[in-house]
Amino acid sequence: MAGLAASRVSRRVGLGAGGIIGGRVTLALHPSALSRLAAGRRVVLVSGTNGKTTTSHLLAAALRTAGPVLHNASGANMADGVVAALAADLDATTAVIEVDELHLAAVAAAVNPAVIVLLNLSRDQLDRGSEVRAVAAALAVPLAAHPDTVVVANADDPMVVWAAQQAARTVWVATGSRWSADSDSCPRCGATLHRGDADEEKWWCDCGLTRPDPQWSALDDAAVTGGEVVPLRLRLPGRFNVGNAVMALAAGSLLGVEHRVGAAAMAQLPDVGGRYALLTHGEHRLRLLLAKNPAGWTETVGLLQDCRPLLVVVNAREADGRDTSWLWDVAFEQLGARPVVAAGENAADLGVRLSYAGIAHTTVGDPLAGLDQLQPGQVDVVANYTAFHQLRRRLVTAEGGSG
């Protein structure tokens, strides 16, 4: 009750959604609150570097076709946020919980999940997350510690495969992942991985670590499993979201959701926490995109409209990672000739990177002031985590801001 009260106060005074402070108060007063609140529920944990929020929303939509589902939809994905989500709904017997990959072990130990969805592993928040192989090794521990848990894992990511091989029960999914810069070498032995042709999506190492045969596959706009082709008519753009949806379908099927029913429910999602949303601000029609690391940017570049003006917003707060060196691993050279504005609290870091990429741009710290440097009309906006949420709040509340 104290935690819920703290959440309400936080929302009323405009400090945020209240999930984090509410969870912290609850845990301070009752350290075992997480396990107590999860008792008697079917819990699915969704983790990985990119796509946690989208995949958990897709999975929650599919599972709601069978009954009420608790979901930490705000994206507060550490123990305090999970506690707040569970406390906010004491009746739902099914929970879909997005979990930060470095907190998966602690959360899994408390909630004894029925299913863990492991999406991908890549560089992110370098000051906190350390080297990717170390993260994969840490994830292997909770996967091995829960023999009754089914792990739905990305067969295209060598780091995920190496970690998930420790699980007693695994469902492999071919997501069509294109990012491989964090897995050029074998996580088991360190040797260079071999890769097949681009259309084969195979990889292997001489030590024996190899891409497992998937039970589910993402193919164009469909999921394929056991010879069945399930059409995916998503409103969310991008091939990577098809992969997220197939991961969600595979997890949903383990909990009894019929494939086509789940796919139809996921097709109703217009956006996820503001990602891909369209907003009007003054004379600009904005499309909001989130990209927080090099792997995310690789997928996002493919969504940008040719020659459309671009506003890029970068912060380096705790939730983003203080280290902005990741900008040098983003292929900004692919932006081509278009009007570009660099904005955010770390606009100067971004501006330097764009200059070295040969991208003509204007640097303006305030994103809304940056918009004034662009011609009226359609604008793509790409922001990292805290910059995205900060800007979205300003746009929604600003005079003239509308969906």
Side-chain angles (χ1 to χ4, degrees):
M1 295 300 292
L4 291 172
S7 295
R8 287 194 294 269
V9 170
S10 178
R11 289 192 294 271
R12 286 176 183 172
V13 300
L15 294 178
I20 294 176
I21 185 60
R24 286 180 181 175
V25 168
T26 301
L27 286 171
L29 296 174
H30 199 318
S32 62
L34 182 52
S35 58
R36 291 285 297 275
L37 288 166
R41 307 191 204 233
R42 294 188 309 173
V43 178
V44 182
L45 302 182
V46 180
S47 194
T49 307
N50 291 305
K52 294 186 292 292
T53 300
T54 299
T55 304
S56 65
H57 275 76
L58 290 166
L59 177 55
L63 291 175
R64 286 192 182 103
T65 62
V69 174
L70 178 157
H71 175 212
N72 58 338
S74 68
N77 59 22
M78 300 182 188
D80 43 22
V82 176
V83 165
L86 291 169
D89 186 346
L90 299 177
D91 297 324
T93 58
T94 299
V96 175
I97 302 296
E98 170 190 339
V99 184
D100 178 270
E101 54 271 29
L102 296 181
H103 289 252
L104 180 63
V107 173
V111 306
N112 191 27
V115 178
I116 293 177
V117 179
L118 192 53
L119 299 167
N120 50 68
L121 293 171
S122 64
R123 282 164 287 168
D124 188 47
Q125 299 187 37
L126 301 181
D127 56 331
R128 181 179 77 94
S130 71
E131 188 260 338
V132 180
R133 185 184 180 281
V135 177
L139 284 176
V141 175
L143 300 186
H146 295 273
D148 294 330
T149 299
V150 183
V151 176
V152 178
N154 182 355
D156 295 329
D157 188 325
M159 292 291 176
V160 168
V161 172
W162 182 58
Q165 282 189 335
Q166 303 302 314
R169 303 171 61 195
T170 308
V171 174
W172 298 107
V173 179
T175 64
S177 302
R178 293 187 294 180
W179 178 259
S180 61
D182 291 309
S183 55
D184 288 330
S185 61
C186 175
R188 176 190 288 173
C189 72
T192 300
L193 285 174
H194 306 290
R195 295 186 181 273
D197 297 334
D199 57 347
E200 290 182 322
E201 298 179 340
K202 293 181 179 179
W203 58 264
W204 67 94
C205 179
D206 294 335
C207 75
L209 186 69
T210 186
R211 179 181 183 266
D213 293 329
Q215 290 101 313
W216 289 77
S217 298
L219 180 65
D220 297 326
D221 292 324
V224 180
T225 181
E228 179 185 4
V229 178
V230 183
L232 294 170
R233 299 180 177 87
L234 300 178
R235 298 169 67 181
L236 307 180
R239 179 184 176 184
F240 58 95
N241 277 326
V242 175
N244 290 336
V246 178
M247 294 287 284
L249 269 184
S253 70
L254 294 171
L255 299 179
V257 176
E258 198 278 325
H259 305 159
R260 294 176 186 273
V261 172
M266 293 190 293
Q268 302 305 310
L269 282 179
D271 61 72
V272 173
R275 296 162 173 81
Y276 321 111
L278 300 177
L279 294 176
T280 298
H281 181 76
E283 297 182 286
H284 294 105
R285 182 68 169 169
L286 312 176
R287 183 174 62 148
L288 305 185
L289 303 169
L290 186 147
K292 60 179 183 174
N293 52 42
W297 262 98
T298 296
E299 301 291 356
T300 299
V301 166
L303 299 181
L304 302 179
Q305 295 296 315
D306 291 341
C307 301
R308 180 181 291 182
L310 176 65
L311 174 68
V312 184
V313 194
V314 171
N315 288 350
R317 298 186 182 186
E318 180 180 1
D320 307 301
R322 304 290 187 185
D323 186 344
T324 59
S325 63
W326 64 272
L327 293 169
W328 294 88
D329 293 324
V330 176
F332 287 114
E333 292 82 359
Q334 297 178 6
L335 295 180
R338 69 178 78 218
V340 177
V341 171
E345 297 168 357
N346 291 74
D349 295 338
L350 174 61
V352 170
R353 173 67 185 103
L354 291 173
S355 294
Y356 273 87
I359 301 299
H361 66 281
T362 303
T363 300
V364 181
D366 182 2
L368 295 187
L371 280 175
D372 294 336
Q373 303 296 313
L374 298 172
Q375 292 293 322
Q378 295 182 324
V379 175
D380 280 334
V381 179
V382 183
N384 69 337
Y385 187 76
T386 67
F388 179 92
H389 292 290
Q390 183 184 52
L391 178 59
R392 180 170 174 253
R393 286 193 296 269
R394 292 181 67 189
L395 289 169
V396 170
T397 58
E399 183 177 358
S402 60

